[in-house]
Amino acid sequence: MKPSILVARAVFPQILTQLAQHFEVTSNQEDVIWSASELMHKLQGKQGVFTTGSQRIDAELLAACPELKICANMAVGYNNFDLDAMTAAGVLATNTPDVLTETTADFGFALIMATARRMAESEHFLRAGLWNSWRYDMFAGSDVHGSTLGILGMGRIGQAIAKRGAHGFGMKVVYHNRSRLDAALEAACGASYVSKSELLQQADHLILVLPYSPEAHHAIGAAELAQMKPTATLVNIARGGIVDDAALADALKNGTIAAAGLDVFEGEPKVHPDLLTVPNVVLTPHIASATMPTRLAMAQLAADNLIAYLVHGKPLTPLNPQVVTV
Ligand code: GLV
């Protein structure tokens, strides 16, 4: 008998076709957002689940789903997983590293540029019919080339952004990370290690690319924003909750920093109402990895992990490989 799996959100049809060759598949092409108890109910009798960042996998759910063996997340971030609880329950977690690195770095750079050059604000002005003459300082922003790029979090995506900044835009690149990169990698990225305070003080453009963890909660709040230059911009493509959105909205209103670009929000898809009313912020709906080839590669890797583990016992990108016993 084929193992049974649940695909918790809508996905590319060809991925479902492929999964159906190996599994009894229950899908959700209507893309209904299930509550925790609905997810629990749908997972009864399933050995695997294809998740996205919007399904929370925690101890309560695991206790109610004893047949579950693997949760394959279609995302590199996995803060929707309680990894310790999954490991304790012997449930494998997988994510989708590497396949989205360059696409996400491109988007990080796009947001840096859109923020520095006030693209959203000026587009809204134009669409509102307010453009009636040229003016010497109209939407004058800050330069990206030759400026100092600060990167908080220096994993694969941070490194890809550093290379774009250092080698493409002639930027001085400084970074802060839990652990310092080795000298060869720092040289390849054109980046220098600094303390978090130095990073905040030196960056003309600061981008956040660190994973969410309880320690990273509100890593950028009022005190950190106060250390930044009043001309600086802040970009968050990491996770909501790393920035204190209310403090950021205040900082944008008060001129503590010049502008921000945000792809992720605490409690998304809700957005802090104050951020919707300040002009100097570019807002996008968590789309940093959203190109068709990259989203397909992410879905493929999540599906391949389900097949590799449930059919062959060897996952491709495990987060808790210690649970693999075969
Ligand atoms: C997107 O946010 C991801 O973690 O892949």
Side-chain angles (χ1 to χ4, degrees), residues 197-211:
S197 289
E198 286 167 332
L199 183 79
L200 294 167
Q201 287 159 24
Q202 290 177 19
D204 293 311
H205 306 290
L206 175 63
I207 184 162
L208 311 180
V209 211
L210 64 166

Side-chain angles (χ1 to χ4, degrees), residues 74-78 96 100 238-239 286 289 298:
M74 182 186 153
V76 66
Y78 51 89
T96 59
L100 47 61
R239 275 291 179 273
H286 203 147
S289 66
M298 292 165 69

Side-chain angles (χ1 to χ4, degrees), residues 9-317:
R9 293 292 308 273
V11 70
F12 295 91
Q14 63 266 43
I15 298 289
L16 285 183
T17 306
Q18 200 181 344
L19 287 169
Q21 289 165 13
H22 303 275
F23 305 118
E24 296 298 334
V25 180
T26 303
S27 62
N28 178 15
Q29 290 302 79
E30 310 76 31
D31 216 21
V32 177
I33 307 294
W34 295 321
S35 66
S37 63
E38 284 168 330
L39 178 63
M40 225 179 249
H41 178 71
K42 299 270 181 194
L43 276 174
Q44 295 310 304
K46 305 289 188 293
Q47 284 85 58
V49 59
F50 181 118
T51 53
T52 67
S54 42
Q55 287 74 53
R56 174 98 191 125
I57 305 293
D58 58 16
E60 195 186 343
L61 178 135
L62 294 167
C65 307
E67 289 174 58
L68 195 60
K69 292 193 171 67
I70 170 173
C71 303
N73 220 27
M74 182 186 153
V76 66
Y78 51 89
N79 55 306
N80 56 315
F81 288 172
D82 180 338
L83 200 57
D84 291 340
M86 292 177 75
T87 305
V91 174
L92 184 78
T94 64
N95 68 338
T96 59
D98 298 318
V99 293
L100 47 61
T101 301
E102 298 300 331
T103 295
T104 304
D106 281 353
F107 190 84
F109 230 89
L111 215 41
I112 290 170
M113 298 192 74
T115 303
R117 298 303 306 273
R118 306 176 64 179
M119 291 181 77
E121 203 182 340
S122 58
E123 197 207 358
H124 294 152
F125 170 88
L126 182 152
R127 283 182 189 271
L130 297 171
W131 184 28
N132 42 36
S133 67
W134 183 93
R135 206 189 123 86
Y136 75 97
D137 62 349
M138 190 168 75
F139 294 108
S142 56
D143 275 323
V144 173
H145 74 273
S147 66
T148 297
L149 173 63
I151 304 178
L152 185 58
M154 199 59 158
R156 302 175 191 83
I157 298 169
Q159 291 169 33
I161 291 169
K163 287 177 188 159
R164 281 163 177 71
H167 306 315
F169 284 78
M171 297 171 92
K172 175 181 173 193
V173 181
V174 288
Y175 77 98
H176 183 74
N177 195 40
R178 266 176 311 186
S179 49
R180 187 171 175 171
L181 302 184
D182 67 39
L185 207 43
E186 278 189 357
C189 293
S192 316
Y193 182 83
V194 292
S195 69
K196 186 176 168 190
S197 289
E198 286 167 332
L199 183 79
L200 294 167
Q201 287 159 24
Q202 290 177 19
D204 293 311
H205 306 290
L206 175 63
I207 184 162
L208 311 180
V209 211
L210 64 166
Y212 182 84
S213 65
E215 303 78 61
H217 186 74
H218 289 188
I220 302 293
E224 290 74 20
L225 291 161
Q227 292 183 59
M228 294 176 67
K229 299 179 188 178
T231 49
T233 69
L234 172 72
V235 166
N236 187 8
I237 58 163
R239 275 291 179 273
I242 294 177
V243 173
D244 177 343
D245 288 342
L248 175 61
D250 278 347
L252 291 168
K253 273 188 241 166
N254 301 338
T256 308
I257 65 168
L262 306 173
D263 188 48
V264 287
F265 305 87
E266 190 166 8
E268 65 187 51
K270 290 205 181 96
V271 175
H272 194 290
D274 291 356
L275 287 173
L276 297 172
T277 60
V278 285
N280 45 342
V281 59
V282 184
L283 305 168
T284 53
H286 203 147
I287 55 167
S289 66
T291 65
M292 279 306 216
T294 292
R295 285 287 166 85
L296 184 57
M298 292 165 69
Q300 186 68 60
L301 182 51
D304 287 348
N305 267 306
L306 287 163
I307 298 165
Y309 191 48
L310 290 177
V311 180
H312 307 294
K314 286 192 170 58
L316 303 174
T317 51

